[in-house]
């Protein structure tokens, strides 16, 4: 084997080792991050908005006790007055409708992101799944399995339920979004063993809002929504009982079952009655186009919308907007909630340096995120996307690039110190692969022993006959009296 082939083979071995070290490094880093986050989470408080039975917004302050369990510490009105209700009396905000700054997935989703599951509540239950074909734009069909026997029960598409897989032309089309955004159902790649109070799929696909009633085995088009990109449910508030001035459990359950669907586009929130298909359109202020929306339908006919911003580093205050029966704003209130107080004080761009201290990975990620950011703009512009990412991540990238000069220089010096070939090539390899590259370089081969030269007293590798520094021959080892001379 020629020297050049041996050198190339050595670098290939080092590259494979570096990839393994990088994977192990990331796994350990993620485990440390999760452990520290969990420790930091304990005792920390966060705030959310829920409605009292009479429709008054309350700030609910909760803290993590252990694992992901939370305990409610207190609840106050927006002006700080304490209130006291049980958790079953509160109506939380669960219809998180993403705005124009939503993440648009271009690559194929993972298998865990291609299933949405519902338990139909039957006896015994049938587990129904929406299955995404994994393309973008893509198609979705439905399939059901018996919970006990695991046998196939049936399918459904745009034309309804059937015993055989419907043709592709009858599948539901989804465009720039993910299955998670197109349906109100949680997306999990596991059996839906839990029962749902609302065993129906609400699906935004094929420019329509669909209601898929799993108990009645019906597929119904509720509304045309050609520009909508996110779907959710508004929590319907039950009226107070005239005699007790309270909400009865029966009224609360009935209102919950009648909660309307909501489809979101940039400038419009379309609210649809699930039974009648009656629509109500609310024009959203321009400032809310980027916001995450959730909301409630109040007992007096008003719609209360909560607008929050999560993606921005310094988000504006949260907003509550009351829309009257004529869909005009009748009241607004701004406030700030304490969110994510348990997060470690490390931003994503710096965490990437810890998770993968590899300049090559940082560069690829920089280019990829720049493309994603550029594609979100109208018109799409890679240069503008790059500028946006550069403003956010230039310092973290510069620090990583600068720090990785140190192991690259160490590799160069080591090659020189052992008088080994291609020191510049190894320096480039270690720089590109970062800290995992240095570890792989250091341990991909057996290194010769360094011993002090008797002539110049400098450490020199003893895999040769002469000293690397002074060039004098090493003396032979002293005789031990057991030598055999021919």
């Amino acid at each position: 084997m020629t020297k050049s082939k041996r050198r190339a083979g050595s670098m290939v071995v080092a590259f494979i080792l570096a990839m393994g070290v990088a994977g192990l490094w990331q796994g350990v880093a993620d485990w440390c991050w999760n452990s520290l986050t969990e420790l930091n989470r304990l005792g920390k408080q966060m705030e959310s908005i829920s409605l009292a039975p009479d429709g008054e917004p309350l700030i609910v302050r909760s803290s993590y006790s252990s694992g992901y369990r939370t305990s409610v510490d207190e609840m106050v009105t927006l002006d700080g007055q304490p209130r006291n209700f049980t958790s079953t009396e509160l109506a939380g905000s669960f219809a998180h409708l993403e705005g124009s700054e939503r993440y648009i997935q271009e690559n194929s989703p993972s298998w865990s992101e291609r299933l949405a599951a519902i338990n139909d509540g039957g006896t015994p239950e049938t587990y129904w799944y929406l299955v995404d074909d994994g393309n973008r734009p893509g198609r979705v069909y439905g399939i059901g399995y018996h919970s006990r026997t695991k046998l196939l029960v049936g399918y459904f598409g745009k034309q309804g339920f059937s015993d055989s897989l419907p043709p592709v032309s009858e599948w539901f089309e989804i465009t720039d979004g993910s299955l998670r955004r197109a349906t109100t159902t949680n997306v999990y790649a596991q059996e839906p063993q839990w029962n749902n109070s609302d065993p129906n799929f609400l699906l935004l696909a094929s420019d329509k809002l669909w209601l898929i009633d799993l108990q009645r085995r019906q597929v119904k088009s509720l509304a045309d929504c050609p520009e909508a990109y996110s779907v959710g449910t508004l929590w319907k508030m039950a009226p107070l009982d005239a005699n007790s001035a309270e909400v009865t459990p029966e009224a609360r359950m009935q209102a919950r079952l009648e909660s309307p669907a909501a489809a979101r586009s940039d400038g419009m929130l379309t609210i649809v009655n699930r039974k009648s298909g009656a629509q109500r359109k609310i024009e959203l202020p321009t400032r809310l186009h980027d916001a995450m929306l959730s909301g409630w339908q109040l007992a007096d006919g008003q719609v209360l919308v909560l607008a929050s911003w999560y993606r921005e580093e310094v988000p504006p205050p949260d907003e509550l907007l009351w829309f009257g029966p004529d869909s005009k704003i009748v009241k607004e209130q701004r406030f700030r909630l304490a969110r994510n107080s348990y997060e470690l004080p490390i931003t994503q761009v710096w965490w990437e340096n810890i998770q993968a201290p590899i300049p090559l990975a940082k560069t690829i990620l920089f280019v990829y995120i720049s493309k994603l950011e550029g594609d979100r703009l109208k018109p799409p512009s890679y240069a503008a996307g790059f500028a946006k990412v550069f403003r956010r991540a230039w310092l973290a990238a510069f620090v990583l690039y600068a720090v990785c000069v140190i192991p690259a220089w160490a590799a160069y010096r080591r090659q020189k110190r052992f008088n080994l070939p291609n020191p510049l090539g190894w320096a480039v390899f270690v720089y590109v692969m970062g800290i995992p590259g240095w570890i792989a370089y250091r341990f991909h081969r057996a290194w010769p022993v360094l011993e002090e030269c008797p002539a110049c007293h400098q450490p020199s590798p003893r895999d040769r006959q002469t000293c690397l520094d002074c060039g004098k021959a090493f003396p032979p080892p002293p005789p031990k009296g057991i030598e055999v001379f021919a």
Side-chain angles (χ1 to χ4, degrees):
M1 183 182 293
T2 63
K3 291 184 178 180
S4 60
K5 288 184 178 180
R6 285 199 299 269
R7 294 170 188 170
S10 181
M11 195 163 289
V12 169
V13 171
F15 176 78
I16 295 173
L17 181 59
M19 295 298 292
V21 171
L24 179 62
W25 182 290
Q26 181 174 349
V28 172
D30 289 341
W31 180 85
C32 293
W33 174 273
N34 293 334
S35 300
L36 292 174
T37 300
E38 184 64 24
L39 290 174
N40 197 40
R41 183 192 304 267
L42 298 179
K44 294 297 180 68
Q45 195 174 72
M46 66 176 298
E47 297 177 343
S48 61
I49 293 290
S50 292
L51 296 197
D54 59 2
E56 182 181 18
L58 300 178
I59 298 176
V60 179
R61 293 175 178 145
S62 306
S63 60
Y64 289 84
S65 55
S66 63
Y68 287 94
R69 294 184 299 174
T70 60
S71 59
V72 176
D73 300 329
E74 62 177 338
M75 54 190 73
V76 299
T77 61
L78 296 180
D79 56 4
Q81 300 302 315
R83 299 291 298 273
N84 187 23
F85 295 98
T86 63
S87 59
T88 57
E89 295 178 283
L90 299 179
S93 57
F94 57 86
H96 299 293
L97 301 165
E98 293 185 80
S100 60
E101 283 293 306
R102 67 195 184 282
Y103 169 68
I104 299 176
Q105 187 173 16
E106 294 184 344
N107 56 330
S108 298
S110 64
W111 180 246
S112 63
E113 298 173 315
R114 291 173 54 192
L115 295 178
I118 282 185
N119 181 329
D120 72 348
T123 306
E125 305 96 334
T126 299
Y127 297 158
W128 288 97
Y129 300 85
L130 286 172
V131 183
D132 182 350
D133 67 0
N135 298 320
R136 286 297 173 269
R139 295 176 182 268
V140 175
Y141 68 92
I143 188 170
Y145 293 93
H146 193 281
S147 59
R148 299 283 182 84
T149 66
K150 311 303 181 184
L151 296 177
L152 179 65
V153 173
Y155 301 87
F156 64 83
K158 290 187 291 187
Q159 301 302 319
F161 283 75
S162 62
D163 294 329
S164 59
L165 180 66
V168 175
S169 61
E170 294 183 13
W171 294 11
F172 304 93
E173 297 93 4
I174 56 177
T175 53
D176 66 345
S178 64
L179 184 59
R180 186 181 300 274
R181 191 181 299 117
T183 178
T184 54
T185 306
N186 290 326
V187 180
Y188 293 112
Q190 59 184 3
E191 291 183 341
Q193 298 177 359
W194 57 94
N195 287 316
N196 297 276
S197 59
D198 178 23
N200 299 308
F201 281 112
L202 274 174
L203 179 65
L204 187 64
S206 302
D207 294 334
K208 296 178 183 293
L209 178 60
W210 302 84
L211 174 66
I212 302 161
D213 190 328
L214 300 176
Q215 293 181 338
R216 294 182 176 87
R217 305 287 176 89
Q218 295 176 350
V219 176
K220 180 181 178 181
S221 172
L222 290 179
D224 292 327
C225 303
E227 297 181 355
Y229 48 71
S230 185
V231 64
T233 303
L234 299 187
W235 190 308
K236 184 176 180 179
M237 302 297 295
L240 297 176
D241 183 75
N243 297 321
S244 63
E246 296 179 351
V247 176
T248 64
E250 295 79 13
R252 184 179 294 110
M253 177 58 69
Q254 183 61 32
R256 177 69 182 88
L257 294 175
E258 295 175 357
S259 293
R264 167 80 186 278
S265 61
D266 280 342
M268 192 70 65
L269 182 65
T270 303
I271 303 171
V272 185
N273 185 299
R274 300 192 191 195
K275 289 186 177 180
S276 66
Q279 299 182 31
R280 177 178 175 182
K281 293 184 179 295
I282 293 178
E283 187 174 349
L284 300 172
T286 304
R287 68 178 185 276
L288 302 187
H289 288 188
D290 296 343
M292 181 89 73
L293 301 183
S294 56
W296 302 261
Q297 181 175 299
L298 304 182
D300 61 2
Q302 295 189 76
V303 171
L304 177 57
V305 172
L306 171 64
S308 306
W309 287 261
Y310 291 93
R311 291 189 179 276
E312 299 183 35
E313 294 183 5
V314 184
D318 299 271
E319 294 188 34
L320 280 171
L321 301 95
W322 285 259
F323 293 87
D326 59 354
S327 299
K328 302 296 184 183
I329 297 176
V330 298
K331 181 181 176 182
E332 300 178 57
Q333 190 162 355
R334 291 177 173 83
F335 55 94
R336 286 194 180 275
L337 293 176
R339 289 194 190 91
N340 299 331
S341 58
Y342 57 86
E343 293 289 348
L344 298 177
I346 303 176
T347 58
Q348 179 63 30
V349 292
W350 290 98
W351 168 241
E352 291 164 0
N353 288 2
I354 300 173
Q355 189 182 41
I358 306 171
L360 177 61
K362 190 74 170 183
T363 301
I364 294 174
L365 187 63
F366 208 103
V367 172
Y368 177 68
I369 299 299
S370 297
K371 183 179 185 304
L372 290 183
E373 293 286 359
D375 289 344
R376 293 176 184 169
L377 302 175
K378 297 179 181 179
S381 171
Y382 179 82
F386 181 87
K388 186 175 181 180
V389 175
F390 183 84
R391 287 192 299 269
R392 185 170 63 230
W394 72 270
L395 183 58
F398 175 79
V399 169
L400 178 63
Y401 295 153
V403 167
C404 287
V405 171
I406 298 173
W409 175 247
Y412 180 85
R413 289 292 304 273
R414 189 174 184 85
Q415 286 291 112
K416 285 288 191 180
R417 191 74 194 93
F418 285 89
N419 195 30
L420 296 174
N422 202 20
L424 184 59
W426 280 109
V428 171
F429 169 83
V430 171
Y431 180 78
V432 168
M433 298 302 296
I435 295 177
W438 161 255
I439 296 174
Y441 163 75
R442 180 64 180 80
F443 295 101
H444 81 285
R445 55 158 293 174
W447 296 89
V449 177
L450 291 176
E451 291 185 359
E452 182 181 289
C453 173
C456 66
H457 303 290
Q458 295 295 323
S460 181
R462 295 304 297 265
D463 60 344
R464 62 207 71 207
Q465 299 298 322
T466 59
C467 175
L468 181 61
D469 290 288
C470 65
K472 293 186 178 179
F474 293 121
K480 297 182 179 179
I482 58 174
E483 290 79 11
V484 177
F485 298 96

